[in-house]
Each structure stands twice: as C-alpha cells, then as structure tokens.
Amino acid sequence: MPDSSFRPDWFSKPGDTLLTLMEQRELTSEALARKLRCDHSVVQGLLSGSTAVDDKLATALAKYVGGTPAFWHTRQSRYVEALSRAADAVPKDRGLQWISQFPHKDMASYGWVTPAAKRDELIKAYLAYFGVNTPEEWSSRYENTMRETAFRTSPTYSSTVGAISAWLRRGEIEATAIKCASWQPNRLLRSLEQLRVLTKAKSPSYFLPRVRKLCADAGVAVVFVRAPSGCRASGATKFIARDKAMVILSFRYLSDDHFWFTFFHELGHLLLHKSTMTFVDGEPGITSDLEAEANEFAADTLIPPSRRDEMMDLPASKEKIIRFAYSVGVSAGIVVGQMQHRDALASKQMNFLKRRFNWQQITAALA
C-alpha cells in the first residue's frame, strides 16, 4: 500500500500544469489573458507561482484550458503546503541572508513577487519565484552558473548576482510562455535583413511584435524585461531548452541606437557562440574575445563594413547624417550612436537624432 504520510521535499506550482496545457492548446499567455478577461500580469503570475488560483481563476481555467475547478483548487492547496514545508526547512539566518540580496521593492512593484514583509512569507515568495526548494538550489542554478557566464560589464559599475538572477528568472518565465519553432540558426541568419529594416520604424508597437515573430520563427523567444535596482544589464542570451533560445532586452537607455545594437549583439552570441553559455551584457567595456566578436557582429549588421569609412567622415550635420542613414537603411539615431562609439562624434553631439522610448510605450506594444 502507498504511504499516505509521504511528503515530498519538492514542489510543483499550478503554473507548471498550466503551461503544459497552454502548449497543448497552442495558447500564448496574451491569448489566455484575453480569454480569462484579466491582465497579462495575472497569467504571468500564475506561471511564476506568485498569483494564487482563487475561485474565479479556477472556474475560468477549467473552462479555457481543461481540468475542473476542484482540480485547480487541489493543485493550488498542495502547492502551498509543499512550499510552506520547503520554507520552514530553511534555517532562519540562511533565509534572511538569502532574501536580502534581491531588490524586493522593485520586484514587488513590477508584480514579480508579492509585497510580503514577513520573513517566512518572503522566503516562500522567492522559492516560488525561482522554482527552487532551497537557497542552495538557487545558488547552484544561478550563482554558480553565473561565475562561468560571459559578461560585458561597465568598467565603473557592477551588478549584484541577486538582482541579475531575478531579472534572468523573469525573462525565463516570460520566454517559456512564448511559442517558438525549433532553434534554426540558418533561418535566423536569413532573417537579419528583415530585422535590420525594422530599425527604421519609429513606433515600438510596430517593430516589437515583428521582432518577436521573426525570432520566434527561428526558435528564439525575445522578451523585454525592465531591469530592477542593482541589475545594470542591457541584454542577455541563454538557451532555456535544447531547441529554444531566449534573448532578454531591458531597454536600459530607452534609445533606439542602444536598443538595436544590444539586440544584434545578443543575436551574435546565438549565431557565433556555444549554446551552453549564458551571456549577460551591460554597459560597453569589452572583457573577452566572445564579447568583441558579438560587438563586431552587431556593428557590421547595422552599418555595412564597406560604408564604415564613409560614416566616419561624416560631419556633425543633421542633413548629412540623415541622408547617410537613409542610404544604408537604418535610423539616423543608429548612425549617431555608432559614430559616437567610434569617437567620430562627441557623446553629447547630435543626440536629438536618436529616438527615445518609455516603458508605457513598450508595455502597450506588447499587450
């Protein structure tokens, strides 16, 4: 007879089951949010474990993805019980030390975790968020792995492991819910020109969905995640499955030149480097040959090498920069950014030609 007292030390959130059912029904998180008549953040919360399945959600999930309301209630209650056991098993001092490294204020305001204040509730929140049973499992999955990660970091600033891991985890959660074809590097390579054309678009509502679609068709889930305090990353690249890659972009400087350079830099990592590596890229400051290769890939994609000398000879003239940008098929802001990077322009020159974005525009574009 089975042991009715058996209590596993692992836990699986209702979002794991939900994701499987969504994949079977080919439902994106955005499409499910529309069916549930809720904000997209609610679906993301269900997938990450930060949102509980209440009566209303249990009924709606049963209707649109399967199961019964009772199934979803049971799934939630068992998850809460297992999560509580895991949190209770964490020594107090270890738990306080662990949760102190995460930028809780930002994570709570972004809706990534609940705004709990008590130690026990915070430990539960972060175990659930990272999908781990213990702080040691988090360390193995993120801290130890990131010691072997390739970084492009600022010479004057450094990001904390806790903040970076929180940002990466949010990317993983969102990327997991994006339906993609299997990884096809040749298809991504063939899509570069179509992606490059999008640099001329002014509105995020136009170019962001198209960037996502072209990349998803090649097996790359592109997500846009605001970096929390302590994380100065602009972009990151990681394979979240054998045949599925993830690119996270933080829109750190909210300008078109930096966004597009970072985007093509990340694609460079996917096309040039080992799929087992995670790359986290921050402020410019090349620290490895791999980063130099990704930088060169991005620069050559944006401005053809055959036109680089011509760009370098451009004067600080609005008309001539716009004319050159039109001739090579990119935005004027990208030309300015590349000229500044190569010291053909001072850092404060011609910045009015760069397009600026805000997170309201970005969020609306992805709704």
Side-chain angles (χ1 to χ4, degrees), residues 290-347:
L290 300 182
E291 292 304 326
E293 290 173 0
N295 279 340
E296 183 178 5
F297 178 89
D300 290 351
T301 301
L302 291 169
I303 307 294
S306 61
R307 303 292 301 277
R308 189 167 296 150
D309 288 344
E310 183 183 350
M311 179 187 74
M312 295 296 288
D313 290 336
L314 288 172
S317 162
K318 172 184 174 181
E319 292 74 17
K320 292 186 177 181
I321 289 174
I322 291 175
R323 190 178 299 121
F324 175 80
Y326 180 82
S327 73
V328 296
V330 297
S331 72
I334 287 173
V335 175
V336 171
Q338 286 298 292
M339 291 178 70
Q340 290 173 339
H341 179 70
R342 297 175 183 276
D343 296 324
L345 285 176
S347 61

Coordinates of all heavy atoms in Angstrom, one line a residue, residues 290-347:
L290 N 34.9 36.8 -27.0 CA 33.5 36.5 -27.4 C 32.7 37.8 -27.4 O 31.8 37.9 -28.3 CB 32.9 35.5 -26.4 CG 33.5 34.1 -26.3 CD1 32.8 33.2 -25.3 CD2 33.7 33.5 -27.6
E291 N 32.9 38.7 -26.5 CA 32.1 39.9 -26.5 C 32.6 40.8 -27.7 O 31.8 41.5 -28.3 CB 32.3 40.6 -25.2 CG 31.7 40.0 -24.0 CD 30.2 39.7 -24.2 OE1 29.5 40.6 -24.8 OE2 29.7 38.7 -23.7
A292 N 33.9 40.8 -28.0 CA 34.4 41.5 -29.1 C 33.8 41.0 -30.4 O 33.4 41.8 -31.3 CB 35.9 41.4 -29.2
E293 N 33.6 39.7 -30.5 CA 33.0 39.1 -31.7 C 31.5 39.5 -31.8 O 31.1 39.8 -32.9 CB 33.1 37.6 -31.7 CG 34.6 37.1 -31.8 CD 34.7 35.6 -31.6 OE1 33.6 34.9 -31.3 OE2 35.8 35.1 -31.7
A294 N 30.8 39.5 -30.7 CA 29.4 39.9 -30.7 C 29.3 41.4 -31.0 O 28.3 41.8 -31.8 CB 28.7 39.5 -29.4
N295 N 30.2 42.2 -30.5 CA 30.1 43.6 -30.8 C 30.4 43.8 -32.3 O 29.7 44.7 -33.0 CB 31.2 44.4 -30.0 CG 30.8 44.7 -28.6 OD1 29.6 44.7 -28.3 ND2 31.7 44.9 -27.8
E296 N 31.3 43.1 -32.9 CA 31.7 43.3 -34.3 C 30.5 42.8 -35.2 O 30.2 43.5 -36.2 CB 32.9 42.5 -34.6 CG 33.4 42.6 -36.1 CD 34.6 41.9 -36.4 OE1 35.1 41.1 -35.5 OE2 35.1 42.0 -37.5
F297 N 29.8 41.7 -34.7 CA 28.7 41.2 -35.5 C 27.6 42.3 -35.5 O 27.0 42.6 -36.6 CB 28.2 40.0 -34.8 CG 26.9 39.4 -35.4 CD1 27.0 38.5 -36.5 CD2 25.7 39.8 -35.0 CE1 25.9 38.0 -37.1 CE2 24.5 39.2 -35.6 CZ 24.6 38.3 -36.6
A298 N 27.3 42.9 -34.3 CA 26.2 43.9 -34.3 C 26.6 45.1 -35.1 O 25.8 45.7 -35.9 CB 26.0 44.3 -32.8
A299 N 27.8 45.6 -35.0 CA 28.3 46.8 -35.8 C 28.2 46.5 -37.3 O 27.7 47.4 -38.0 CB 29.7 47.2 -35.3
D300 N 28.6 45.4 -37.7 CA 28.6 45.1 -39.1 C 27.2 44.8 -39.7 O 26.9 45.1 -40.8 CB 29.5 43.8 -39.4 CG 30.9 44.0 -39.2 OD1 31.4 45.2 -39.0 OD2 31.7 43.0 -39.2
T301 N 26.3 44.3 -38.8 CA 24.9 44.2 -39.2 C 24.3 45.5 -39.4 O 23.5 45.7 -40.4 CB 24.2 43.3 -38.2 OG1 24.8 42.1 -38.0 CG2 22.7 43.1 -38.6
L302 N 24.5 46.4 -38.5 CA 23.9 47.8 -38.6 C 24.5 48.7 -39.7 O 23.7 49.3 -40.4 CB 24.0 48.5 -37.2 CG 23.2 47.8 -36.1 CD1 23.5 48.4 -34.8 CD2 21.7 48.0 -36.4
I303 N 25.8 48.7 -39.7 CA 26.5 49.6 -40.8 C 27.4 48.7 -41.6 O 28.4 48.2 -41.0 CB 27.3 50.7 -40.1 CG1 26.4 51.5 -39.1 CG2 27.9 51.6 -41.2 CD1 25.3 52.3 -39.8
P304 N 27.1 48.4 -42.8 CA 28.0 47.6 -43.6 C 29.4 48.0 -43.6 O 29.7 49.2 -43.7 CB 27.4 47.7 -45.0 CG 26.0 48.1 -44.8 CD 26.0 49.0 -43.6
P305 N 30.3 47.1 -43.4 CA 31.8 47.5 -43.3 C 32.2 48.3 -44.5 O 33.1 49.2 -44.3 CB 32.5 46.1 -43.2 CG 31.5 45.2 -42.6 CD 30.1 45.7 -43.1
S306 N 31.6 48.1 -45.6 CA 32.0 48.8 -46.8 C 31.6 50.3 -46.8 O 32.2 51.1 -47.6 CB 31.4 48.2 -48.1 OG 30.0 48.2 -48.0
R307 N 30.7 50.6 -45.9 CA 30.3 52.0 -45.7 C 30.8 52.7 -44.5 O 30.5 53.8 -44.2 CB 28.8 52.1 -45.7 CG 28.0 51.4 -46.9 CD 28.2 52.2 -48.2 NE 27.8 53.6 -48.1 CZ 26.5 54.0 -48.2 NH1 25.6 53.1 -48.5 NH2 26.2 55.3 -48.2
R308 N 31.7 52.0 -43.7 CA 32.1 52.5 -42.4 C 33.0 53.7 -42.6 O 32.8 54.7 -41.8 CB 32.8 51.4 -41.6 CG 33.1 51.8 -40.2 CD 33.5 50.7 -39.4 NE 32.4 49.7 -39.3 CZ 32.6 48.4 -39.1 NH1 33.8 47.9 -39.1 NH2 31.6 47.6 -39.0
D309 N 33.9 53.7 -43.5 CA 34.8 54.8 -43.7 C 34.0 56.1 -44.1 O 34.3 57.2 -43.6 CB 35.9 54.6 -44.8 CG 36.9 53.6 -44.3 OD1 37.0 53.4 -43.1 OD2 37.6 53.0 -45.1
E310 N 33.0 55.9 -44.9 CA 32.1 57.0 -45.3 C 31.4 57.6 -44.1 O 31.3 58.8 -43.9 CB 31.1 56.5 -46.3 CG 30.2 57.6 -46.9 CD 29.2 57.0 -47.8 OE1 29.3 55.8 -48.2 OE2 28.2 57.8 -48.2
M311 N 31.0 56.7 -43.2 CA 30.3 57.1 -42.0 C 31.3 57.9 -41.1 O 30.9 59.0 -40.5 CB 29.8 55.9 -41.2 CG 29.1 56.3 -39.9 SD 28.6 54.9 -38.8 CE 30.3 54.4 -38.2
M312 N 32.5 57.4 -41.0 CA 33.5 58.1 -40.1 C 33.8 59.5 -40.6 O 34.3 60.3 -39.9 CB 34.7 57.2 -40.0 CG 34.5 55.9 -39.3 SD 34.0 56.1 -37.6 CE 35.5 56.6 -36.8
D313 N 33.7 59.7 -41.9 CA 34.0 61.0 -42.5 C 32.8 62.0 -42.4 O 33.0 63.2 -42.8 CB 34.4 60.9 -43.9 CG 35.8 60.2 -44.0 OD1 36.6 60.3 -43.1 OD2 36.1 59.6 -45.1
L314 N 31.7 61.6 -41.9 CA 30.5 62.5 -41.9 C 30.8 63.6 -40.9 O 31.3 63.4 -39.8 CB 29.3 61.7 -41.4 CG 28.6 60.7 -42.4 CD1 27.5 59.9 -41.8 CD2 28.1 61.5 -43.7
P315 N 30.3 64.8 -41.2 CA 30.4 65.9 -40.3 C 29.2 65.9 -39.3 O 28.3 65.1 -39.5 CB 30.3 67.2 -41.2 CG 29.5 66.7 -42.3 CD 29.8 65.3 -42.6
A316 N 29.3 66.7 -38.3 CA 28.1 66.8 -37.3 C 27.0 67.6 -37.9 O 26.7 68.7 -37.5 CB 28.6 67.4 -36.0
S317 N 26.4 67.0 -39.0 CA 25.4 67.7 -39.7 C 24.1 66.8 -39.8 O 24.2 65.7 -40.2 CB 25.9 67.9 -41.2 OG 24.8 68.2 -42.0
K318 N 23.0 67.4 -39.3 CA 21.7 66.7 -39.3 C 21.4 66.1 -40.7 O 21.1 65.0 -40.8 CB 20.6 67.6 -38.8 CG 19.2 67.0 -38.9 CD 18.2 68.1 -38.5 CE 16.8 67.6 -38.7 NZ 15.8 68.6 -38.3
E319 N 21.5 67.0 -41.7 CA 21.1 66.6 -43.0 C 21.9 65.5 -43.6 O 21.4 64.5 -44.1 CB 21.1 67.8 -44.0 CG 20.1 68.9 -43.7 CD 20.4 69.7 -42.4 OE1 21.6 69.7 -42.0 OE2 19.5 70.4 -41.9
K320 N 23.3 65.6 -43.4 CA 24.2 64.6 -43.9 C 24.1 63.2 -43.2 O 24.2 62.2 -43.8 CB 25.6 65.1 -43.9 CG 25.8 66.3 -44.9 CD 27.2 66.7 -45.1 CE 27.3 67.8 -46.1 NZ 28.7 68.2 -46.3
I321 N 23.8 63.3 -41.9 CA 23.7 62.0 -41.2 C 22.4 61.3 -41.5 O 22.3 60.1 -41.8 CB 23.7 62.3 -39.6 CG1 25.2 62.7 -39.2 CG2 23.2 61.1 -38.9 CD1 25.3 63.1 -37.8
I322 N 21.3 62.1 -41.7 CA 20.0 61.5 -42.1 C 20.1 61.0 -43.5 O 19.6 59.8 -43.8 CB 18.9 62.6 -42.0 CG1 18.6 63.0 -40.6 CG2 17.6 62.1 -42.7 CD1 17.6 64.1 -40.4
R323 N 20.8 61.7 -44.4 CA 20.9 61.2 -45.8 C 21.7 59.9 -45.8 O 21.4 58.9 -46.5 CB 21.6 62.2 -46.6 CG 21.6 61.9 -48.1 CD 22.3 63.0 -48.9 NE 21.5 64.3 -48.7 CZ 22.1 65.4 -48.2 NH1 23.4 65.4 -47.9 NH2 21.4 66.5 -48.1
F324 N 22.8 59.8 -45.0 CA 23.6 58.6 -45.0 C 22.8 57.5 -44.4 O 22.8 56.3 -44.9 CB 24.9 58.8 -44.1 CG 25.7 57.6 -43.9 CD1 26.6 57.1 -44.9 CD2 25.6 56.8 -42.8 CE1 27.3 56.0 -44.8 CE2 26.4 55.7 -42.6 CZ 27.2 55.3 -43.6
A325 N 22.1 57.7 -43.3 CA 21.3 56.7 -42.6 C 20.2 56.1 -43.6 O 20.0 54.9 -43.7 CB 20.6 57.2 -41.4
Y326 N 19.6 57.0 -44.4 CA 18.6 56.6 -45.4 C 19.3 55.7 -46.4 O 18.7 54.6 -46.9 CB 18.0 57.8 -46.0 CG 17.0 57.4 -47.1 CD1 15.6 57.1 -46.7 CD2 17.3 57.4 -48.4 CE1 14.7 56.8 -47.6 CE2 16.3 57.1 -49.4 CZ 15.0 56.8 -49.0 OH 14.1 56.5 -49.9
S327 N 20.5 56.0 -46.8 CA 21.2 55.3 -47.9 C 21.6 53.9 -47.4 O 21.7 53.0 -48.3 CB 22.4 56.1 -48.4 OG 23.5 56.0 -47.4
V328 N 21.9 53.7 -46.1 CA 22.3 52.4 -45.7 C 21.1 51.6 -45.1 O 21.2 50.4 -44.8 CB 23.4 52.4 -44.6 CG1 24.7 53.0 -45.3 CG2 23.0 53.2 -43.4
G329 N 19.9 52.3 -44.9 CA 18.7 51.6 -44.5 C 18.6 51.4 -43.0 O 18.0 50.4 -42.5
V330 N 19.1 52.4 -42.2 CA 18.9 52.3 -40.7 C 18.4 53.7 -40.2 O 18.4 54.6 -41.0 CB 20.1 51.9 -40.0 CG1 20.5 50.5 -40.4 CG2 21.3 52.8 -40.2
S331 N 18.1 53.8 -39.0 CA 17.7 55.1 -38.4 C 18.9 56.0 -38.2 O 20.0 55.5 -38.1 CB 17.0 54.9 -37.1 OG 17.9 54.6 -36.1
A332 N 18.6 57.3 -38.2 CA 19.7 58.3 -38.0 C 20.3 58.1 -36.6 O 21.5 58.3 -36.4 CB 19.2 59.7 -38.2
G333 N 19.5 57.7 -35.7 CA 20.0 57.5 -34.3 C 21.0 56.5 -34.2 O 22.0 56.6 -33.5
I334 N 20.9 55.4 -35.0 CA 21.9 54.3 -35.0 C 23.2 54.8 -35.6 O 24.3 54.5 -35.0 CB 21.4 53.1 -35.8 CG1 20.3 52.4 -35.0 CG2 22.5 52.2 -36.2 CD1 19.6 51.3 -35.8
V335 N 23.1 55.6 -36.6 CA 24.4 56.2 -37.2 C 25.1 57.1 -36.1 O 26.3 57.0 -35.9 CB 24.1 57.0 -38.4 CG1 25.3 57.7 -39.0 CG2 23.5 56.1 -39.5
V336 N 24.3 57.9 -35.4 CA 24.9 58.8 -34.4 C 25.5 57.9 -33.3 O 26.7 58.2 -32.9 CB 23.8 59.7 -33.8 CG1 24.3 60.4 -32.6 CG2 23.3 60.7 -34.8
G337 N 24.8 56.9 -32.9 CA 25.4 56.0 -31.8 C 26.7 55.3 -32.3 O 27.6 55.3 -31.5
Q338 N 26.7 54.9 -33.5 CA 27.9 54.2 -34.0 C 29.1 55.2 -34.2 O 30.2 54.9 -33.9 CB 27.7 53.5 -35.3 CG 26.9 52.2 -35.1 CD 27.6 51.2 -34.3 OE1 28.7 50.7 -34.7 NE2 27.1 51.0 -33.1
M339 N 28.8 56.4 -34.6 CA 29.8 57.5 -34.7 C 30.3 57.9 -33.3 O 31.5 58.1 -33.2 CB 29.2 58.7 -35.4 CG 28.9 58.5 -36.9 SD 28.2 59.9 -37.7 CE 29.6 61.0 -37.8
Q340 N 29.5 58.0 -32.4 CA 29.9 58.3 -31.0 C 30.8 57.2 -30.4 O 31.8 57.4 -29.8 CB 28.7 58.5 -30.1 CG 27.9 59.8 -30.4 CD 26.6 59.9 -29.6 OE1 26.1 58.9 -29.1 NE2 26.1 61.1 -29.5
H341 N 30.4 55.9 -30.7 CA 31.1 54.8 -30.2 C 32.6 54.8 -30.8 O 33.5 54.4 -30.1 CB 30.4 53.5 -30.5 CG 31.1 52.3 -30.1 ND1 31.2 51.9 -28.7 CD2 31.8 51.3 -30.8 CE1 31.9 50.8 -28.6 NE2 32.3 50.4 -29.9
R342 N 32.7 55.2 -32.0 CA 34.0 55.2 -32.7 C 34.7 56.6 -32.6 O 35.7 56.8 -33.3 CB 33.8 54.8 -34.1 CG 33.3 53.4 -34.3 CD 33.0 53.0 -35.7 NE 32.4 51.6 -35.7 CZ 33.2 50.5 -35.8 NH1 34.5 50.6 -35.7 NH2 32.6 49.3 -35.8
D343 N 34.2 57.5 -31.7 CA 34.8 58.8 -31.5 C 34.8 59.7 -32.7 O 35.6 60.6 -32.8 CB 36.2 58.6 -31.0 CG 36.2 57.9 -29.6 OD1 35.3 58.1 -28.8 OD2 37.2 57.1 -29.4
A344 N 33.8 59.4 -33.6 CA 33.7 60.4 -34.7 C 32.8 61.5 -34.3 O 32.7 62.6 -35.0 CB 33.1 59.6 -36.0
L345 N 32.0 61.3 -33.3 CA 31.2 62.4 -32.7 C 31.4 62.4 -31.2 O 31.7 61.3 -30.6 CB 29.7 62.2 -32.9 CG 29.1 62.5 -34.3 CD1 27.7 62.0 -34.4 CD2 29.3 63.9 -34.7
A346 N 31.3 63.5 -30.5 CA 31.3 63.5 -29.1 C 30.1 62.9 -28.5 O 29.0 62.9 -29.2 CB 31.5 65.0 -28.6
S347 N 30.1 62.5 -27.3 CA 28.9 61.8 -26.7 C 27.7 62.6 -26.6 O 26.6 62.1 -26.5 CB 29.3 61.2 -25.3 OG 29.7 62.3 -24.4

